[in-house]
């Protein structure tokens, strides 16, 4: 099982998307999402295919949000296949 980066297919509001993949199956998704379009900051959260969401934090700037996402990956027992 490993983390891999995915490009945004959501129309630009996702600054970063990482997928935890096991033999081609996505086990968890990690998002850095921008709310700048509605006057907000940035959220970091994980989601499972079963619909379980975990909010990892809300940040005023993108750099802090991406740093938190990388920390989530770093705290995971699974390696990252992509930066």
């Amino acid at each position: 099982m490993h983390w891999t980066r995915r490009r945004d297919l959501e129309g630009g509001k996702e600054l970063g998307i990482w997928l935890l993949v096991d033999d081609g199956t996505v086990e968890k998704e990690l998002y850095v999402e921008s709310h700048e379009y509605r006057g907000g900051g940035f959220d970091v959260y994980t989601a499972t295919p079963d619909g379980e969401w975990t909010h990892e934090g809300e940040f005023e700037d993108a750099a802090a949000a991406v740093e938190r996402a990388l920390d989530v990956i770093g705290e995971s027992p699974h390696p990252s296949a992509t930066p």
Side-chain angles (χ1 to χ4, degrees), residues 1 8 19 23-25 36 45 47 56 80:
M1 195 173 321
D8 177 16
L19 304 176
D23 291 328
T25 301
E36 290 180 303
Y45 57 90
E56 298 288 344
S80 176

Side-chain angles (χ1 to χ4, degrees), residues 64-80:
V66 170
E67 183 177 333
R68 176 62 189 137
L70 295 176
D71 286 346
V72 169
I73 292 170
E75 294 165 1
S76 167
H78 309 292
S80 176

Side-chain angles (χ1 to χ4, degrees), residues 1-81:
M1 195 173 321
H2 65 275
W3 288 98
T4 186
R5 185 102 189 246
R6 173 182 86 118
R7 68 184 192 107
D8 177 16
L9 303 175
E10 307 280 332
K13 71 177 185 173
E14 308 297 344
L15 297 180
I17 304 169
W18 293 264
L19 304 176
L20 183 59
V21 179
D22 186 18
D23 291 328
T25 301
V26 175
E27 298 293 326
K28 188 180 281 191
E29 301 172 357
L30 171 63
Y31 293 90
V32 175
E33 184 173 280
S34 171
H35 299 291
E36 290 180 303
Y37 65 95
R38 62 178 190 203
F42 302 86
D43 279 308
V44 177
Y45 57 90
T46 60
T48 67
D50 295 333
E52 298 174 24
W53 294 80
T54 302
H55 190 247
E56 298 288 344
E58 186 174 329
F59 304 88
E60 290 186 25
D61 64 75
V66 170
E67 183 177 333
R68 176 62 189 137
L70 295 176
D71 286 346
V72 169
I73 292 170
E75 294 165 1
S76 167
H78 309 292
S80 176

